[in-house]
Amino acid sequence: MQIARSIAEMKALRSKCAEPVGFVPTMGSLHEGHLELVRIAVRDNPVAVVSIFVNPTQFAPDEDYKAYPRDLDRDLAMLDQVKTGIVFIPDSQDMYADGYNTWVDVNGITGKLEGKARPTHFRGVTTVCNKLFNIVQPHQAYFGQKDAQQAIVIQKMAADLNMNLEVVVCPTIREKDGLAMSSRNTYLTGSERIAAPVLYRSLCLASDMFSNGERDAGVIRKAMIDLISQEAAAKIDYVSVADLQTLSEVDKIEGNALASLAVRLGKPRLIDNIILG
Ligand code: PAF
């Protein structure tokens, strides 16, 4: 496993790579969900590059940029085990030098769901992914379905900007009790962790209702809210049944839809989703 600690080092390694190149962008604090993306990238490409960069521009000033969990030694050991070819670990000054002032903004869909609660978040994500794609020049970039809106936004950016890469979205990896794996799960206290699978239970309820013929999105949303409300610690930010392309809320489900939610459990705010249909 080779390690590039600067953009220049990464570009030098990239110039010698066999192709195609698979790329998994991460913010570190890796878990099985990340490793599954890396395994797929390794399986499908002669070289898999993983970036570890806690991107400051996707955190609002009141969010957890400073506290975001970081453990580079552990991350590197995990990446070595799944046969990662190159790990790219740039620092903030290299990525955002003094005077940095260029942004990539996907309009419309970034104002919905997560974008409503975190208005500057996606601009940071699309900007850093664009920069990482330019540096790593992957043929395929791998994202998890867990961050459904992020994957849809990146796909839209890649299509709108005619990027020469395929955005591959891979299934959410879950704990045994259904909780979607996330680096932020480490913030959960013991009792919050016990309550946390309520998110997945509500998505399974939505999926069962859909399978049994329910197409009224309002009825599905209400059933999800009622179920989550049984957990005293859970504070709902949103429960959504939305169009998969526009992310606008739907009244009636035609074909398919994205059921998604954000719920606060104490300090952490957890998100999850499932596709209906
Ligand atoms: O999903 C993440 O970890 C981040 O948003 C990403 C895609 C690595 C960009 O910083």
Side-chain angles (χ1 to χ4, degrees):
M1 188 170 79
Q2 293 177 293
I3 298 180
R5 291 184 189 271
S6 68
I7 295 173
E9 282 177 25
M10 181 63 230
K11 285 187 170 174
L13 288 178
R14 176 64 182 85
S15 68
K16 295 184 211 121
C17 279
E19 296 191 338
V21 169
F23 177 46
V24 182
T26 82
M27 299 207 298
S29 186
L30 302 179
H31 51 67
E32 194 51 36
H34 296 111
L35 294 187
E36 195 52 28
L37 298 180
V38 181
R39 284 189 198 103
I40 296 169
V42 168
R43 185 194 66 196
D44 292 351
N45 304 275
V47 179
V49 179
V50 176
S51 63
I52 298 178
F53 179 60
V54 185
N55 173 37
T57 64
Q58 69 189 73
F59 292 81
D62 60 340
E63 291 182 350
D64 57 344
Y65 172 66
K66 286 218 170 91
Y68 195 83
R70 293 163 170 88
D71 191 342
L72 189 56
D73 290 344
R74 180 178 162 276
D75 288 347
L76 291 176
M78 289 167 89
L79 290 175
D80 200 26
Q81 287 220 329
V82 291
K83 304 197 174 5
T84 307
I86 300 174
V87 188
F88 175 37
I89 319 170
D91 67 24
S92 282
Q93 191 53 32
D94 205 10
M95 289 293 279
Y96 299 107
D98 293 343
Y100 184 88
N101 208 5
T102 301
W103 303 97
V104 179
D105 215 340
V106 174
N107 288 328
I109 50 174
T110 55
K112 316 261 169 68
L113 306 175
E114 284 303 286
K116 248 191 207 158
R118 308 179 70 192
T120 56
H121 173 67
F122 286 114
R123 186 181 87 147
V125 171
T126 43
T127 299
V128 82
C129 285
N130 202 323
K131 286 172 68 67
L132 292 167
F133 292 166
N134 286 338
I135 298 161
V136 174
Q137 293 182 30
H139 298 81
Q140 312 210 62
Y142 298 85
F143 291 84
Q145 174 64 25
K146 146 90 175 26
D147 294 304
Q149 188 176 9
Q150 169 170 279
I152 291 168
V153 168
I154 299 289
Q155 281 177 322
K156 179 84 177 119
M157 172 183 81
D160 283 358
L161 296 181
N162 310 100
M163 290 181 166
N164 223 357
L165 64 95
E166 186 192 353
V167 177
V168 183
V169 184
C170 304
T172 304
I173 305 296
R174 300 182 178 281
E175 303 286 356
K176 282 205 180 74
D177 59 9
L179 177 64
M181 290 197 184
S182 162
S183 307
R184 289 190 169 102
N185 289 351
T186 54
Y187 295 153
L188 293 165
T189 63
S191 60
E192 289 160 5
R193 175 64 190 81
I194 291 168
V198 73
L199 275 80
Y200 185 55
R201 285 205 302 278
S202 75
L203 293 169
C204 291
L205 174 65
S207 181
D208 288 348
M209 290 173 76
F210 181 83
S211 300
N212 290 329
E214 184 60 76
R215 293 293 180 273
D216 185 328
V219 172
I220 295 180
R221 274 185 220 105
K222 180 170 181 321
M224 292 172 72
I225 291 170
D226 288 348
L227 190 139
I228 299 163
S229 305
Q230 288 168 19
E231 277 295 346
K235 304 278 172 277
I236 296 172
D237 190 345
Y238 63 80
V239 166
S240 158
V241 178
D243 180 273
L244 261 168
Q245 266 80 47
T246 64
L247 299 182
S248 297
E249 295 303 310
V250 294
D251 294 332
K252 192 166 182 295
I253 304 172
E254 318 267 5
N256 53 22
L258 179 72
S260 67
L261 72 172
V263 174
R264 260 186 209 289
L265 273 171
K267 179 177 152 204
R269 179 176 175 280
L270 304 180
I271 61 171
D272 202 351
N273 69 85
I274 205 165
I275 294 175
L276 305 177

